Amino acid sequence: MPSTASEEKVNKNVLVIGAGLHGLITAKILLHDSNRFFDSITVFEKNSTLGGVWSSNRIYEGLVSNSPLLMYEIPDFKYPIGMRAPGTHVSAQDINRYLWDYTEYYGLTKLIQYQTQVDDVHWNPASSVWTVKGVSAMGDFRGDFGYVVVCTGLYHTSFNPLTVSQTSQYAGNIYHSSETGDPRVQSILANSERVIISGAGKSAVDIATILAKGHWRTKDRKAARVTLVYRRPHWLSPRNMIRGTVPFEKLLFSRFMNAWLPFAKHPDLFHQMIAETRFGRWATRFILNILADDCIKSLNQQDLPQTIPKHSLARALSGAFHVEPLGYMDCVRSGQIEILEGTICGMVGKKVYVRVNGERKDAIESDNVLLGTGYALALPFFSDETIRILGLLAPEDSAKDKTDLPYIRLHRLVVPPGATCKQDVEVTNDKGPYRNIAFNGFASNLLSPTVAYVTAHWISDYFSGAIDLPDQQSIEQGIDHFHAWQTKSFGDRGAKGVHIGPHATLYTDLLLDDMGLRTGHVGGFPGPLQLAREWFRPMFPEIYAAVGPDRRARDERGHVDVTALKRKNLLEDGMHLPRSFMRTSIMAMLSAYILLRVLLPYIAERIPFAE
């Protein structure tokens, strides 16, 4: 006799794919901050160790975080007090140790199964579970899970823009930057006479500097000469701005600075004014031009035009904005690093041919080539049918190569539209996935730990049914609108559908609003001082440690309407003040901010003062 619906046991076992930063944070939230909603949490990691891009077999000496240390920590787990200094960047080795400490502190070690590669994830309508197949150290495996969270992120499938015909006749070695954690690769590159590095991103510039400074080499060898080949330079950020007086994070990681780059959704009239009025657009250009000028002069780039981008700083803030490796400018200035603006178009013997300015070819002798060309957007364990069911691609693109997807479609950059609404079984004769699959790590930004943390809380609420979603049509329209904004704001990067760039604060506001939680965290009467603090302080990750307690408080008083919650939180949330008061206060503080923090240093520099 078949069991009735009430007798069926719902599978509440969760699979997290990936044990990098996003996977570990997700596992911790589901385990400790989900009111015991789930029966078990399992983490599959294909590597032999945890950490993702920060795993011990991928990092190398000299690698540091792109974001400042105080911005690159998990909200409820701080770095040791001795490390937490403004203006510093954390080394890869310290991040690796930090993630191990996090894992051990929250008891996640027992959840992780290493050397477990997922090859197939598909929905089983007969039993309403996700069936997962793959290969582990013990052989082939198969498992059924009620929920799946994909945390493979954006940096696990290397991208190689060169074709076989371009590289087959090359007599040297060709590596990708993801391989430089291997000591053997480090030794080969460091002991070369000359290395060509393709790319202008963080990895390319980091490794170029390391090789040019003679790291990794044996003592009796000279430092390798390095040629950087890229289409155009990226913007580089100094560790301290305003002529070295203000730590990078204190100036750029605030709601105020975030406001000058229009977001997909205007949270208030101030943001709308900036995005849609002539004055707002002028003010945005004015502020960003000042910041761009300060970046160049703080880094002493004036005599190195080949390192200065011609595109706007606003474009760079999509994610192509990297901290300068210490000594990089000096290596370029001394000629130890040569820069060619062009693309590699062929290799024969030990010669690499570079097309410069789209015309002539330069033949450069090179022992080895390193590709710092980034990563492809890949979901190799999804079949065409699973991609179609989830709605991750438009129907006409569902057969695209899963190791190099053109884009993906996700509501809030977290959940696929095909699993957000219950299907009518009587109409479709099929029981599709519903609120049981999510993605964490597919919103590229400058505050990864914070966004990962808030996203994991959102996923926990989503799985348990605590988040009210709009209807299917509104979800589809919202995804299309967000993707159009990404493409317009960030170009090719945005077209992938996985970039929010500098908008981490406004993006997490969306997620917090969905959960019925406050977005501002400054207490007290909502006067100018509280508003100023909320808008001008750096949005340090520790601020978001309140998300867990806020969720518990919300659950204790029952599910409430988000708008009503905002009214209730008026005295503790400066972000939801009456708009007329908010607009007046902000414009007054804006004028003072520009005068005191930006214009005066420039005026002082140009006026001769008597000794």
Side-chain angles (χ1 to χ4, degrees):
M1 178 179 177
S3 61
T4 64
S6 61
E7 294 173 333
E8 292 178 359
K9 179 173 174 57
V10 177
N11 187 323
K12 288 190 175 182
N13 301 319
V14 185
L15 171 63
V16 177
I17 305 177
L21 174 74
H22 296 85
L24 295 173
I25 292 174
T26 299
K28 182 268 176 182
I29 299 300
L30 298 182
L31 180 65
H32 293 288
D33 298 290
S34 299
N35 200 24
R36 300 183 179 179
F37 180 81
F38 306 104
D39 293 335
S40 70
I41 316 293
T42 303
V43 182
F44 285 169
E45 170 55 53
K46 70 177 182 179
N47 201 346
S48 59
T49 185
L50 62 77
V53 295
W54 303 112
S55 61
S56 57
N57 53 16
R58 286 188 64 175
I59 60 178
Y60 48 84
E61 181 187 352
L63 176 63
V64 300
S65 62
N66 193 41
S67 298
L69 180 146
L70 293 180
M71 292 297 176
Y72 202 84
E73 66 180 359
I74 302 168
D76 60 356
F77 194 76
K78 296 181 180 180
Y79 284 103
I81 190 66
M83 296 174 57
R84 304 185 77 252
T88 61
H89 291 254
V90 59
S91 72
Q93 289 76 13
D94 284 335
I95 294 175
N96 179 264
R97 181 66 259 169
Y98 172 75
L99 293 178
W100 272 105
D101 290 344
Y102 180 81
T103 301
E104 293 165 1
Y105 182 82
Y106 286 111
L108 307 180
T109 307
K110 60 187 178 183
L111 310 181
I112 305 173
Q113 297 182 25
Y114 297 107
Q115 294 181 300
T116 303
Q117 178 170 306
V118 174
D119 293 329
D120 178 68
V121 178
H122 68 270
W123 176 248
N124 186 338
S127 51
S128 297
V129 295
W130 289 100
T131 297
V132 180
K133 300 177 182 178
V135 180
S136 71
M138 305 298 291
D140 295 344
F141 70 86
R142 172 188 171 127
D144 292 333
F145 297 88
Y147 301 87
V148 171
V149 187
V150 179
C151 297
T152 51
L154 306 174
Y155 304 106
H156 68 95
T157 301
S158 58
F159 174 68
N160 182 353
L162 303 177
T163 64
V164 174
S165 62
Q166 289 175 315
T167 60
S168 59
Q169 298 183 58
Y170 184 56
N173 300 296
I174 303 174
Y175 300 107
H176 188 269
S177 58
S178 60
E179 300 175 83
T180 49
D182 185 343
R184 184 185 66 86
V185 175
Q186 294 177 9
S187 177
I188 291 173
L189 293 173
N191 292 297
S192 305
E193 292 290 332
R194 188 166 192 168
V195 177
I196 290 180
I197 298 180
S198 176
K202 174 173 167 51
S203 294
V205 176
D206 276 356
I207 296 170
T209 306
I210 288 170
L211 295 177
K213 291 169 70 175
H215 297 308
W216 301 348
R217 65 184 172 87
T218 55
K219 291 183 178 179
D220 59 336
R221 296 296 298 266
K222 289 184 178 180
R225 289 188 60 202
V226 179
T227 299
L228 261 178
V229 178
Y230 49 57
R231 286 177 294 179
R232 64 178 188 178
H234 287 190
W235 281 94
L236 297 174
S237 71
R239 284 164 169 75
N240 294 290
M241 304 192 73
I242 313 298
R243 302 299 189 273
T245 61
V246 180
F248 172 71
E249 65 268 28
K250 289 190 174 182
L251 186 65
L252 294 187
F253 289 93
S254 66
R255 287 188 182 276
F256 173 79
M257 288 307 304
N258 210 184
W260 298 100
L261 296 167
F263 190 49
K265 179 181 178 182
H266 306 314
D268 50 52
L269 290 178
F270 178 62
H271 288 79
Q272 184 176 356
M273 178 197 71
I274 291 172
E276 297 180 3
T277 67
R278 181 176 298 178
F279 170 77
R281 290 190 290 269
W282 172 85
T284 298
R285 289 193 301 271
F286 175 76
I287 289 178
L288 291 179
N289 285 341
I290 288 177
L291 288 175
D293 183 68
D294 185 73
C295 283
I296 293 169
K297 291 176 180 175
S298 293
L299 292 171
N300 295 316
Q301 288 179 268
Q302 299 94 314
D303 62 329
L304 300 173
Q306 68 272 40
T307 67
I308 300 176
K310 296 180 178 64
H311 59 283
S312 70
L313 181 61
R315 282 277 179 173
L317 291 174
S318 68
F321 188 49
H322 317 297
V323 63
E324 183 223 8
L326 294 175
Y328 170 66
M329 296 299 171
D330 291 337
C331 289
V332 175
R333 193 171 283 111
S334 68
Q336 195 65 29
I337 295 178
E338 177 190 12
I339 293 175
L340 285 179
E341 288 194 37
T343 56
I344 295 175
C345 56
M347 304 177 183
V348 178
K350 285 294 184 78
K351 289 186 177 180
V352 176
Y353 293 89
V354 178
R355 190 183 304 279
V356 180
N357 298 324
E359 298 177 359
R360 66 183 178 85
K361 295 181 181 179
D362 281 0
I364 305 170
E365 292 281 346
S366 174
D367 303 311
N368 298 287
V369 172
L370 180 75
L371 302 178
T373 47
Y375 296 82
L377 179 58
L379 296 169
F381 39 75
F382 285 151
S383 66
D384 292 350
E385 178 64 9
T386 301
I387 292 285
R388 183 193 65 77
I389 290 172
L390 295 178
L392 290 171
L393 294 175
E396 62 270 19
D397 294 327
S398 61
K400 295 287 186 180
D401 181 6
K402 305 307 177 292
T403 63
D404 189 13
L405 295 170
Y407 60 89
I408 56 173
R409 303 177 71 250
L410 295 169
H411 173 63
R412 295 290 194 251
L413 306 186
V414 184
V415 293
T420 55
C421 296
K422 259 184 180 174
Q423 297 183 21
D424 189 336
V425 179
E426 294 182 0
V427 173
T428 64
N429 198 29
D430 189 12
K431 191 174 182 181
Y434 173 62
R435 283 186 181 253
N436 51 24
I437 186 168
F439 295 68
N440 195 351
F442 290 79
S444 178
N445 65 92
L446 298 176
L447 297 175
S448 291
T450 296
V451 171
Y453 182 80
V454 177
T455 301
H457 278 285
W458 192 97
I459 290 170
S460 174
D461 267 359
Y462 171 75
F463 282 166
S464 63
I467 290 178
D468 293 330
L469 294 180
D471 59 70
Q472 187 69 30
Q473 182 178 0
S474 297
I475 286 175
E476 297 283 354
Q477 291 175 346
I479 292 174
D480 291 340
H481 171 75
F482 204 89
H483 188 232
W485 166 76
Q486 289 173 304
T487 304
K488 178 181 178 180
S489 300
F490 309 134
D492 292 342
R493 286 175 174 268
K496 292 281 187 180
V498 291
H499 279 272
I500 56 173
H503 295 285
T505 302
L506 293 179
Y507 172 70
T508 52
D509 283 353
L510 286 181
L511 302 183
L512 293 168
D513 276 346
D514 288 344
M515 290 186 278
L517 305 179
R518 56 186 174 145
T519 54
H521 293 85
V522 175
F525 181 77
L529 291 179
Q530 283 73 23
L531 182 60
R533 186 181 173 202
E534 182 67 36
W535 269 74
F536 294 120
R537 67 173 175 175
M539 295 305 291
F540 291 119
E542 62 192 65
I543 294 171
Y544 293 87
V547 173
D550 281 0
R551 282 181 67 204
R552 288 190 288 274
R554 177 207 62 192
D555 293 342
E556 288 174 2
R557 62 177 176 256
H559 186 67
V560 294
D561 178 72
V562 172
T563 304
L565 179 68
K566 287 181 180 179
R567 288 196 296 269
K568 187 172 183 178
N569 284 342
L570 179 62
L571 293 182
E572 62 186 31
D573 185 352
M575 288 307 298
H576 300 300
L577 295 168
R579 286 176 174 174
S580 58
F581 173 79
M582 181 176 176
R583 195 163 55 244
T584 303
S585 300
I586 289 173
M587 293 310 297
M589 289 183 292
L590 165 63
S591 302
Y593 184 90
I594 293 176
L595 177 65
L596 296 175
R597 295 291 296 273
V598 180
L599 294 182
L600 287 184
Y602 280 80
I603 295 171
E605 184 180 271
R606 287 162 172 75
I607 297 176
F609 291 94
E611 293 290 331

